[in-house]
Short mmCIF file of all heavy atoms in Angstrom, two decimals:
data_model
loop_
_atom_site.label_atom_id
_atom_site.label_comp_id
_atom_site.label_asym_id
_atom_site.label_seq_id
_atom_site.Cartn_x
_atom_site.Cartn_y
_atom_site.Cartn_z
N GLY A 1442 0.81 -1.20 0.00
CA GLY A 1442 0.00 0.00 0.00
C GLY A 1442 0.85 1.25 0.00
O GLY A 1442 2.08 1.18 0.01
N MET A 1443 0.17 2.37 -0.03
CA MET A 1443 0.86 3.66 -0.04
C MET A 1443 1.37 3.98 1.35
O MET A 1443 0.77 3.63 2.35
CB MET A 1443 -0.08 4.77 -0.50
CG MET A 1443 -0.76 4.51 -1.84
SD MET A 1443 0.36 4.36 -3.23
CE MET A 1443 0.83 6.10 -3.45
N LEU A 1444 2.51 4.68 1.40
CA LEU A 1444 3.06 5.17 2.66
C LEU A 1444 3.09 6.69 2.60
O LEU A 1444 3.02 7.29 1.53
CB LEU A 1444 4.48 4.64 2.86
CG LEU A 1444 4.65 3.13 2.99
CD1 LEU A 1444 6.12 2.79 3.17
CD2 LEU A 1444 3.83 2.61 4.15
N VAL A 1445 3.24 7.31 3.78
CA VAL A 1445 3.40 8.76 3.85
C VAL A 1445 4.75 9.06 4.50
O VAL A 1445 5.06 8.52 5.57
CB VAL A 1445 2.27 9.42 4.66
CG1 VAL A 1445 2.53 10.91 4.83
CG2 VAL A 1445 0.93 9.20 3.95
N GLY A 1446 5.54 9.86 3.83
CA GLY A 1446 6.84 10.29 4.37
C GLY A 1446 6.85 11.77 4.62
O GLY A 1446 6.21 12.54 3.89
N GLN A 1447 7.54 12.17 5.68
CA GLN A 1447 7.68 13.59 5.98
C GLN A 1447 9.14 13.98 5.84
O GLN A 1447 10.04 13.25 6.30
CB GLN A 1447 7.17 13.90 7.39
CG GLN A 1447 5.66 13.78 7.50
CD GLN A 1447 5.15 14.18 8.86
OE1 GLN A 1447 5.72 13.79 9.86
NE2 GLN A 1447 4.08 14.95 8.89
N PHE A 1448 9.34 15.15 5.23
CA PHE A 1448 10.68 15.61 4.93
C PHE A 1448 10.83 17.06 5.37
O PHE A 1448 9.89 17.84 5.23
CB PHE A 1448 10.94 15.53 3.41
CG PHE A 1448 10.72 14.17 2.84
CD1 PHE A 1448 9.45 13.77 2.45
CD2 PHE A 1448 11.76 13.28 2.72
CE1 PHE A 1448 9.23 12.49 1.94
CE2 PHE A 1448 11.56 12.00 2.21
CZ PHE A 1448 10.30 11.61 1.82
N THR A 1449 12.01 17.41 5.88
CA THR A 1449 12.31 18.83 6.04
C THR A 1449 12.95 19.30 4.75
O THR A 1449 13.78 18.60 4.16
CB THR A 1449 13.26 19.08 7.22
OG1 THR A 1449 14.46 18.35 7.00
CG2 THR A 1449 12.63 18.66 8.54
N ILE A 1450 12.54 20.48 4.31
CA ILE A 1450 13.03 21.03 3.04
C ILE A 1450 13.58 22.42 3.32
O ILE A 1450 12.85 23.31 3.74
CB ILE A 1450 11.90 21.10 2.00
CG1 ILE A 1450 11.30 19.70 1.78
CG2 ILE A 1450 12.44 21.66 0.68
CD1 ILE A 1450 9.99 19.72 1.02
N GLY A 1451 14.89 22.57 3.10
CA GLY A 1451 15.54 23.86 3.33
C GLY A 1451 15.78 24.59 2.02
O GLY A 1451 15.87 23.98 0.96
N GLY A 1452 15.88 25.90 2.13
CA GLY A 1452 16.21 26.70 0.96
C GLY A 1452 15.02 27.28 0.23
O GLY A 1452 15.19 27.96 -0.78
N MET A 1453 13.80 27.03 0.74
CA MET A 1453 12.61 27.62 0.11
C MET A 1453 12.39 29.00 0.72
O MET A 1453 12.25 29.14 1.93
CB MET A 1453 11.37 26.75 0.37
CG MET A 1453 11.46 25.36 -0.20
SD MET A 1453 9.87 24.49 -0.06
CE MET A 1453 9.67 24.45 1.72
N THR A 1454 12.37 30.02 -0.14
CA THR A 1454 12.23 31.38 0.39
C THR A 1454 11.01 32.10 -0.14
O THR A 1454 10.72 33.20 0.32
CB THR A 1454 13.49 32.22 0.08
OG1 THR A 1454 13.72 32.18 -1.33
CG2 THR A 1454 14.70 31.64 0.80
N CYS A 1455 10.27 31.53 -1.08
CA CYS A 1455 9.06 32.20 -1.53
C CYS A 1455 8.03 31.16 -1.95
O CYS A 1455 8.33 29.98 -2.07
CB CYS A 1455 9.33 33.21 -2.65
SG CYS A 1455 9.46 32.52 -4.29
N ALA A 1456 6.80 31.62 -2.21
CA ALA A 1456 5.72 30.70 -2.55
C ALA A 1456 5.99 29.95 -3.84
O ALA A 1456 5.55 28.82 -4.02
CB ALA A 1456 4.39 31.46 -2.65
N ALA A 1457 6.74 30.58 -4.75
CA ALA A 1457 7.05 29.88 -6.00
C ALA A 1457 7.98 28.70 -5.76
O ALA A 1457 7.93 27.71 -6.49
CB ALA A 1457 7.66 30.86 -7.00
N CYS A 1458 8.84 28.82 -4.74
CA CYS A 1458 9.68 27.67 -4.36
C CYS A 1458 8.79 26.49 -3.96
O CYS A 1458 9.05 25.35 -4.33
CB CYS A 1458 10.57 28.00 -3.18
SG CYS A 1458 11.87 29.19 -3.44
N VAL A 1459 7.77 26.78 -3.18
CA VAL A 1459 6.86 25.73 -2.72
C VAL A 1459 6.18 25.07 -3.91
O VAL A 1459 6.12 23.84 -4.00
CB VAL A 1459 5.81 26.33 -1.76
CG1 VAL A 1459 4.74 25.31 -1.42
CG2 VAL A 1459 6.49 26.85 -0.50
N ASN A 1460 5.68 25.89 -4.84
CA ASN A 1460 5.03 25.32 -6.03
C ASN A 1460 6.01 24.48 -6.83
O ASN A 1460 5.64 23.42 -7.36
CB ASN A 1460 4.47 26.45 -6.90
CG ASN A 1460 3.28 27.13 -6.26
OD1 ASN A 1460 2.57 26.52 -5.46
ND2 ASN A 1460 3.08 28.38 -6.60
N SER A 1461 7.26 24.94 -6.91
CA SER A 1461 8.27 24.21 -7.66
C SER A 1461 8.53 22.84 -7.02
O SER A 1461 8.55 21.82 -7.71
CB SER A 1461 9.55 25.05 -7.70
OG SER A 1461 10.57 24.34 -8.32
N VAL A 1462 8.72 22.83 -5.71
CA VAL A 1462 9.00 21.57 -5.02
C VAL A 1462 7.80 20.64 -5.11
O VAL A 1462 7.94 19.43 -5.37
CB VAL A 1462 9.42 21.82 -3.55
CG1 VAL A 1462 9.56 20.50 -2.81
CG2 VAL A 1462 10.73 22.61 -3.50
N GLU A 1463 6.60 21.18 -4.93
CA GLU A 1463 5.40 20.33 -5.04
C GLU A 1463 5.30 19.73 -6.45
O GLU A 1463 4.97 18.55 -6.60
CB GLU A 1463 4.14 21.13 -4.72
CG GLU A 1463 3.97 21.38 -3.23
CD GLU A 1463 2.69 22.13 -2.89
OE1 GLU A 1463 2.11 22.77 -3.81
OE2 GLU A 1463 2.28 22.09 -1.72
N GLY A 1464 5.59 20.52 -7.46
CA GLY A 1464 5.53 20.03 -8.83
C GLY A 1464 6.54 18.92 -9.08
O GLY A 1464 6.23 17.91 -9.73
N ILE A 1465 7.75 19.12 -8.56
CA ILE A 1465 8.80 18.10 -8.71
C ILE A 1465 8.35 16.80 -8.05
O ILE A 1465 8.48 15.72 -8.62
CB ILE A 1465 10.11 18.61 -8.09
CG1 ILE A 1465 10.71 19.70 -8.99
CG2 ILE A 1465 11.10 17.48 -7.85
CD1 ILE A 1465 11.62 20.65 -8.25
N LEU A 1466 7.81 16.92 -6.86
CA LEU A 1466 7.40 15.72 -6.12
C LEU A 1466 6.25 15.01 -6.83
O LEU A 1466 6.25 13.79 -6.98
CB LEU A 1466 7.01 16.09 -4.69
CG LEU A 1466 8.16 16.56 -3.80
CD1 LEU A 1466 7.63 17.15 -2.51
CD2 LEU A 1466 9.13 15.42 -3.52
N ARG A 1467 5.25 15.78 -7.28
CA ARG A 1467 4.07 15.17 -7.90
C ARG A 1467 4.41 14.52 -9.24
O ARG A 1467 3.69 13.62 -9.67
CB ARG A 1467 2.98 16.23 -8.08
CG ARG A 1467 2.38 16.63 -6.74
CD ARG A 1467 1.47 17.84 -6.85
NE ARG A 1467 0.97 18.23 -5.52
CZ ARG A 1467 0.42 19.42 -5.25
NH1 ARG A 1467 0.29 20.32 -6.19
NH2 ARG A 1467 0.02 19.68 -4.02
N ASP A 1468 5.48 14.96 -9.87
CA ASP A 1468 5.88 14.37 -11.15
C ASP A 1468 6.68 13.08 -10.97
O ASP A 1468 6.93 12.37 -11.96
CB ASP A 1468 6.72 15.36 -11.95
CG ASP A 1468 5.88 16.44 -12.61
OD1 ASP A 1468 4.64 16.29 -12.65
OD2 ASP A 1468 6.47 17.43 -13.09
N LEU A 1469 7.10 12.77 -9.76
CA LEU A 1469 7.91 11.56 -9.55
C LEU A 1469 7.04 10.32 -9.70
O LEU A 1469 5.93 10.27 -9.15
CB LEU A 1469 8.54 11.57 -8.16
CG LEU A 1469 9.60 12.63 -7.89
CD1 LEU A 1469 9.99 12.61 -6.41
CD2 LEU A 1469 10.83 12.38 -8.76
N PRO A 1470 7.54 9.30 -10.39
CA PRO A 1470 6.80 8.05 -10.45
C PRO A 1470 6.61 7.49 -9.05
O PRO A 1470 7.54 7.52 -8.23
CB PRO A 1470 7.69 7.14 -11.30
CG PRO A 1470 9.03 7.78 -11.34
CD PRO A 1470 8.83 9.24 -11.10
N GLY A 1471 5.41 7.03 -8.76
CA GLY A 1471 5.14 6.43 -7.46
C GLY A 1471 4.61 7.41 -6.43
O GLY A 1471 4.19 7.00 -5.36
N VAL A 1472 4.64 8.72 -6.74
CA VAL A 1472 4.13 9.72 -5.80
C VAL A 1472 2.70 10.06 -6.17
O VAL A 1472 2.41 10.41 -7.32
CB VAL A 1472 5.00 10.99 -5.79
CG1 VAL A 1472 4.32 12.13 -5.01
CG2 VAL A 1472 6.37 10.68 -5.18
N SER A 1473 1.78 9.95 -5.20
CA SER A 1473 0.37 10.23 -5.47
C SER A 1473 -0.09 11.55 -4.88
O SER A 1473 -1.13 12.07 -5.29
CB SER A 1473 -0.49 9.10 -4.91
OG SER A 1473 -0.25 8.92 -3.54
N ARG A 1474 0.64 12.07 -3.92
CA ARG A 1474 0.19 13.30 -3.25
C ARG A 1474 1.41 13.96 -2.64
O ARG A 1474 2.27 13.28 -2.07
CB ARG A 1474 -0.82 12.96 -2.15
CG ARG A 1474 -1.53 14.13 -1.53
CD ARG A 1474 -2.62 13.66 -0.56
NE ARG A 1474 -2.07 12.85 0.53
CZ ARG A 1474 -1.51 13.37 1.62
NH1 ARG A 1474 -1.43 14.66 1.78
NH2 ARG A 1474 -1.05 12.57 2.57
N ALA A 1475 1.49 15.29 -2.74
CA ALA A 1475 2.60 16.02 -2.11
C ALA A 1475 2.10 17.38 -1.67
O ALA A 1475 1.48 18.11 -2.45
CB ALA A 1475 3.77 16.18 -3.09
N VAL A 1476 2.36 17.70 -0.41
CA VAL A 1476 2.00 19.01 0.14
C VAL A 1476 3.23 19.57 0.83
O VAL A 1476 3.88 18.89 1.63
CB VAL A 1476 0.84 18.90 1.14
CG1 VAL A 1476 0.48 20.27 1.70
CG2 VAL A 1476 -0.38 18.27 0.49
N VAL A 1477 3.57 20.81 0.50
CA VAL A 1477 4.77 21.44 1.04
C VAL A 1477 4.38 22.75 1.72
O VAL A 1477 3.55 23.51 1.19
CB VAL A 1477 5.79 21.72 -0.08
CG1 VAL A 1477 6.98 22.51 0.44
CG2 VAL A 1477 6.26 20.40 -0.71
N SER A 1478 4.96 23.00 2.91
CA SER A 1478 4.68 24.23 3.65
C SER A 1478 5.93 25.10 3.73
O SER A 1478 6.99 24.64 4.17
CB SER A 1478 4.21 23.89 5.06
OG SER A 1478 4.23 25.05 5.88
N LEU A 1479 5.78 26.33 3.30
CA LEU A 1479 6.87 27.30 3.45
C LEU A 1479 7.07 27.66 4.91
O LEU A 1479 8.20 27.79 5.39
CB LEU A 1479 6.55 28.54 2.62
CG LEU A 1479 7.57 29.67 2.62
CD1 LEU A 1479 8.89 29.23 2.03
CD2 LEU A 1479 7.01 30.87 1.83
N ALA A 1480 5.96 27.79 5.65
CA ALA A 1480 6.03 28.26 7.04
C ALA A 1480 6.78 27.28 7.93
O ALA A 1480 7.52 27.69 8.83
CB ALA A 1480 4.62 28.50 7.58
N THR A 1481 6.59 25.98 7.68
CA THR A 1481 7.21 24.97 8.55
C THR A 1481 8.40 24.28 7.90
O THR A 1481 9.08 23.49 8.57
CB THR A 1481 6.18 23.89 8.93
OG1 THR A 1481 5.75 23.22 7.74
CG2 THR A 1481 4.98 24.50 9.64
N SER A 1482 8.67 24.56 6.63
CA SER A 1482 9.74 23.87 5.89
C SER A 1482 9.55 22.36 5.89
O SER A 1482 10.52 21.60 5.88
CB SER A 1482 11.12 24.21 6.45
OG SER A 1482 11.40 25.58 6.27
N LEU A 1483 8.29 21.93 5.89
CA LEU A 1483 8.00 20.50 5.88
C LEU A 1483 7.28 20.11 4.59
O LEU A 1483 6.48 20.88 4.06
CB LEU A 1483 7.11 20.11 7.06
CG LEU A 1483 7.76 20.04 8.43
CD1 LEU A 1483 6.70 19.80 9.49
CD2 LEU A 1483 8.81 18.93 8.45
N GLY A 1484 7.57 18.91 4.14
CA GLY A 1484 6.84 18.33 3.03
C GLY A 1484 6.29 16.97 3.42
O GLY A 1484 6.96 16.21 4.12
N GLU A 1485 5.06 16.70 2.98
CA GLU A 1485 4.45 15.40 3.24
C GLU A 1485 4.14 14.77 1.88
O GLU A 1485 3.50 15.41 1.04
CB GLU A 1485 3.18 15.57 4.07
CG GLU A 1485 2.60 14.25 4.55
CD GLU A 1485 1.52 14.48 5.59
OE1 GLU A 1485 1.86 14.64 6.78
OE2 GLU A 1485 0.35 14.53 5.20
N VAL A 1486 4.61 13.55 1.72
CA VAL A 1486 4.53 12.90 0.41
C VAL A 1486 3.92 11.51 0.58
O VAL A 1486 4.41 10.71 1.39
CB VAL A 1486 5.92 12.78 -0.23
CG1 VAL A 1486 5.83 12.10 -1.59
CG2 VAL A 1486 6.58 14.15 -0.35
N GLU A 1487 2.86 11.23 -0.18
CA GLU A 1487 2.29 9.89 -0.21
C GLU A 1487 2.91 9.17 -1.40
O GLU A 1487 2.89 9.68 -2.52
CB GLU A 1487 0.78 9.98 -0.34
CG GLU A 1487 0.09 8.62 -0.28
CD GLU A 1487 -1.42 8.74 -0.40
OE1 GLU A 1487 -1.88 9.36 -1.39
OE2 GLU A 1487 -2.12 8.24 0.49
N TYR A 1488 3.44 7.98 -1.15
CA TYR A 1488 4.19 7.30 -2.22
C TYR A 1488 4.02 5.79 -2.12
O TYR A 1488 3.69 5.24 -1.05
CB TYR A 1488 5.67 7.68 -2.14
CG TYR A 1488 6.37 7.20 -0.90
CD1 TYR A 1488 7.17 6.05 -0.93
CD2 TYR A 1488 6.22 7.87 0.31
CE1 TYR A 1488 7.80 5.59 0.20
CE2 TYR A 1488 6.85 7.40 1.46
CZ TYR A 1488 7.63 6.27 1.40
OH TYR A 1488 8.25 5.81 2.54
N ASP A 1489 4.29 5.15 -3.25
CA ASP A 1489 4.24 3.69 -3.34
C ASP A 1489 5.67 3.17 -3.15
O ASP A 1489 6.52 3.38 -4.03
CB ASP A 1489 3.69 3.30 -4.72
CG ASP A 1489 3.59 1.79 -4.90
OD1 ASP A 1489 4.23 1.05 -4.13
OD2 ASP A 1489 2.90 1.38 -5.84
N PRO A 1490 5.96 2.51 -2.04
CA PRO A 1490 7.33 2.09 -1.75
C PRO A 1490 7.85 1.01 -2.69
O PRO A 1490 9.06 0.74 -2.70
CB PRO A 1490 7.26 1.60 -0.31
CG PRO A 1490 5.85 1.17 -0.13
CD PRO A 1490 5.03 2.11 -0.98
N THR A 1491 6.97 0.41 -3.50
CA THR A 1491 7.46 -0.55 -4.50
C THR A 1491 7.97 0.16 -5.75
O THR A 1491 8.58 -0.46 -6.61
CB THR A 1491 6.36 -1.56 -4.90
OG1 THR A 1491 5.34 -0.89 -5.64
CG2 THR A 1491 5.76 -2.24 -3.67
N VAL A 1492 7.71 1.47 -5.84
CA VAL A 1492 8.11 2.25 -7.02
C VAL A 1492 9.23 3.23 -6.69
O VAL A 1492 10.16 3.41 -7.48
CB VAL A 1492 6.89 3.02 -7.59
CG1 VAL A 1492 7.31 3.91 -8.76
CG2 VAL A 1492 5.80 2.05 -8.02
N ILE A 1493 9.15 3.86 -5.50
CA ILE A 1493 10.11 4.91 -5.15
C ILE A 1493 10.41 4.81 -3.66
O ILE A 1493 9.53 4.44 -2.86
CB ILE A 1493 9.55 6.30 -5.56
CG1 ILE A 1493 10.64 7.37 -5.47
CG2 ILE A 1493 8.32 6.68 -4.73
CD1 ILE A 1493 10.25 8.67 -6.17
N SER A 1494 11.67 5.14 -3.30
CA SER A 1494 12.08 5.08 -1.89
C SER A 1494 12.13 6.49 -1.30
O SER A 1494 12.15 7.49 -2.02
CB SER A 1494 13.46 4.43 -1.77
OG SER A 1494 14.45 5.30 -2.29
N LYS A 1495 12.19 6.55 0.02
CA LYS A 1495 12.36 7.84 0.69
C LYS A 1495 13.65 8.52 0.24
O LYS A 1495 13.69 9.74 0.05
CB LYS A 1495 12.39 7.66 2.21
CG LYS A 1495 11.02 7.39 2.83
CD LYS A 1495 11.16 7.25 4.34
CE LYS A 1495 9.81 7.00 5.00
NZ LYS A 1495 9.96 6.76 6.44
N ASP A 1496 14.71 7.73 0.08
CA ASP A 1496 15.98 8.31 -0.36
C ASP A 1496 15.86 8.88 -1.78
O ASP A 1496 16.46 9.92 -2.08
CB ASP A 1496 17.09 7.27 -0.32
CG ASP A 1496 17.60 7.02 1.09
OD1 ASP A 1496 17.31 7.85 1.99
OD2 ASP A 1496 18.29 6.00 1.29
N ASP A 1497 15.10 8.22 -2.65
CA ASP A 1497 14.87 8.75 -4.00
C ASP A 1497 14.18 10.10 -3.92
O ASP A 1497 14.48 11.02 -4.70
CB ASP A 1497 13.98 7.80 -4.82
CG ASP A 1497 14.67 6.50 -5.17
OD1 ASP A 1497 15.90 6.46 -5.27
OD2 ASP A 1497 13.92 5.51 -5.38
N ILE A 1498 13.23 10.23 -3.01
CA ILE A 1498 12.48 11.48 -2.86
C ILE A 1498 13.41 12.59 -2.36
O ILE A 1498 13.41 13.71 -2.87
CB ILE A 1498 11.26 11.27 -1.94
CG1 ILE A 1498 10.27 10.30 -2.60
CG2 ILE A 1498 10.58 12.61 -1.62
CD1 ILE A 1498 9.16 9.81 -1.69
N VAL A 1499 14.23 12.26 -1.35
CA VAL A 1499 15.21 13.23 -0.86
C VAL A 1499 16.13 13.67 -2.00
O VAL A 1499 16.39 14.87 -2.19
CB VAL A 1499 16.04 12.63 0.30
CG1 VAL A 1499 17.27 13.48 0.60
CG2 VAL A 1499 15.18 12.50 1.55
N ASN A 1500 16.61 12.72 -2.79
CA ASN A 1500 17.54 13.06 -3.87
C ASN A 1500 16.88 13.95 -4.92
O ASN A 1500 17.52 14.86 -5.45
CB ASN A 1500 18.08 11.78 -4.52
CG ASN A 1500 19.06 11.06 -3.62
OD1 ASN A 1500 19.69 11.66 -2.74
ND2 ASN A 1500 19.20 9.76 -3.82
N ALA A 1501 15.61 13.72 -5.20
CA ALA A 1501 14.91 14.54 -6.20
C ALA A 1501 14.79 15.98 -5.72
O ALA A 1501 14.95 16.92 -6.52
CB ALA A 1501 13.53 13.95 -6.48
N ILE A 1502 14.53 16.17 -4.43
CA ILE A 1502 14.44 17.53 -3.89
C ILE A 1502 15.81 18.20 -3.96
O ILE A 1502 15.93 19.37 -4.34
CB ILE A 1502 13.91 17.49 -2.44
CG1 ILE A 1502 12.49 16.92 -2.40
CG2 ILE A 1502 13.95 18.89 -1.82
CD1 ILE A 1502 12.00 16.57 -0.99
N GLU A 1503 16.85 17.46 -3.61
CA GLU A 1503 18.20 18.05 -3.61
C GLU A 1503 18.67 18.33 -5.03
O GLU A 1503 19.37 19.33 -5.26
CB GLU A 1503 19.16 17.13 -2.86
CG GLU A 1503 18.76 17.06 -1.38
CD GLU A 1503 19.85 16.57 -0.48
OE1 GLU A 1503 20.69 15.78 -0.93
OE2 GLU A 1503 19.83 16.98 0.70
N ASP A 1504 18.29 17.49 -5.98
CA ASP A 1504 18.67 17.73 -7.38
C ASP A 1504 18.07 19.04 -7.89
O ASP A 1504 18.60 19.65 -8.82
CB ASP A 1504 18.20 16.58 -8.28
CG ASP A 1504 19.07 15.34 -8.12
OD1 ASP A 1504 20.13 15.42 -7.47
OD2 ASP A 1504 18.67 14.28 -8.64
N ALA A 1505 16.95 19.47 -7.29
CA ALA A 1505 16.31 20.72 -7.68
C ALA A 1505 16.93 21.93 -6.98
O ALA A 1505 16.50 23.06 -7.20
CB ALA A 1505 14.81 20.65 -7.37
N GLY A 1506 17.93 21.70 -6.14
CA GLY A 1506 18.66 22.81 -5.53
C GLY A 1506 18.25 23.15 -4.11
O GLY A 1506 18.67 24.18 -3.58
N PHE A 1507 17.43 22.29 -3.50
CA PHE A 1507 17.03 22.52 -2.12
C PHE A 1507 17.71 21.48 -1.23
O PHE A 1507 18.27 20.51 -1.73
CB PHE A 1507 15.50 22.42 -2.01
CG PHE A 1507 14.77 23.43 -2.85
CD1 PHE A 1507 14.38 23.11 -4.15
CD2 PHE A 1507 14.52 24.69 -2.38
CE1 PHE A 1507 13.73 24.04 -4.96
CE2 PHE A 1507 13.87 25.63 -3.17
CZ PHE A 1507 13.48 25.30 -4.46
N GLU A 1508 17.65 21.71 0.07
CA GLU A 1508 18.17 20.70 0.99
C GLU A 1508 16.99 19.90 1.53
O GLU A 1508 15.94 20.45 1.82
CB GLU A 1508 18.91 21.35 2.17
CG GLU A 1508 20.12 22.18 1.77
CD GLU A 1508 19.77 23.64 1.58
OE1 GLU A 1508 19.17 24.23 2.50
OE2 GLU A 1508 20.08 24.18 0.50
N ALA A 1509 17.19 18.61 1.65
CA ALA A 1509 16.11 17.77 2.15
C ALA A 1509 16.65 16.71 3.09
O ALA A 1509 17.76 16.21 2.92
CB ALA A 1509 15.38 17.09 0.99
N SER A 1510 15.85 16.39 4.11
CA SER A 1510 16.18 15.26 4.96
C SER A 1510 14.90 14.63 5.48
O SER A 1510 13.84 15.26 5.52
CB SER A 1510 17.09 15.69 6.12
OG SER A 1510 16.45 16.67 6.89
N LEU A 1511 15.02 13.37 5.84
CA LEU A 1511 13.88 12.63 6.36
C LEU A 1511 13.56 13.11 7.77
O LEU A 1511 14.46 13.32 8.59
CB LEU A 1511 14.22 11.14 6.43
CG LEU A 1511 14.19 10.38 5.12
CD1 LEU A 1511 14.86 9.03 5.30
CD2 LEU A 1511 12.75 10.22 4.66
N VAL A 1512 12.28 13.26 8.07
CA VAL A 1512 11.89 13.58 9.44
C VAL A 1512 11.95 12.31 10.29
O VAL A 1512 12.33 12.33 11.45
CB VAL A 1512 10.47 14.20 9.47
CG1 VAL A 1512 9.95 14.30 10.90
CG2 VAL A 1512 10.51 15.57 8.83
N GLN A 1513 11.57 11.19 9.70
CA GLN A 1513 11.54 9.92 10.46
C GLN A 1513 11.89 8.77 9.54
O GLN A 1513 11.88 8.89 8.35
CB GLN A 1513 10.15 9.71 11.06
CG GLN A 1513 9.03 9.80 10.03
CD GLN A 1513 7.67 9.86 10.66
OE1 GLN A 1513 7.54 9.89 11.87
NE2 GLN A 1513 6.65 9.86 9.83
MO1 9UX B 975 11.14 32.58 -5.33
MO2 9UX B 975 12.38 30.03 -4.96
O1 9UX B 975 11.53 34.26 -6.28
O2 9UX B 975 13.53 28.75 -5.86
S1 9UX B 975 11.09 30.67 -6.62
S2 9UX B 975 13.04 32.13 -4.23
#
């Protein structure tokens, strides 16, 4: 089934950054839902662990020029 991962995302300084990160996450294979908050620097991602890993998600955020780490 689907899992939910929480990530801290650094380097977002405006609302367009949030839209950019959400778009990157939603375009990833295996990701069904992504919500990112500028105020808390947190992202919540629903994903299929048979398609994509938490580390893959972290790497995709970092490839876009932001810092990312797993909350748990
Ligand atoms: Mo806003 Mo973010 O002007 O990468 S889009 S700082």
Side-chain angles (χ1 to χ4, degrees):
M1443 306 298 286
L1444 297 179
V1445 175
Q1447 290 184 315
F1448 304 85
T1449 58
I1450 303 167
M1453 298 188 298
T1454 55
C1455 82
C1458 293
V1459 172
N1460 290 333
S1461 176
V1462 174
E1463 285 182 341
I1465 288 156
L1466 292 169
R1467 289 170 183 163
D1468 283 347
L1469 292 173
V1472 169
S1473 56
R1474 189 174 60 82
V1476 180
V1477 174
S1478 167
L1479 181 62
T1481 63
S1482 295
L1483 285 173
E1485 189 168 275
V1486 180
E1487 184 180 54
Y1488 66 100
D1489 181 343
T1491 69
V1492 176
I1493 192 166
S1494 70
K1495 284 181 180 176
D1496 283 345
D1497 291 333
I1498 295 169
V1499 166
N1500 288 336
I1502 297 168
E1503 295 199 331
D1504 285 350
F1507 300 92
E1508 299 93 53
S1510 59
L1511 283 167
V1512 170
Q1513 54 191 3

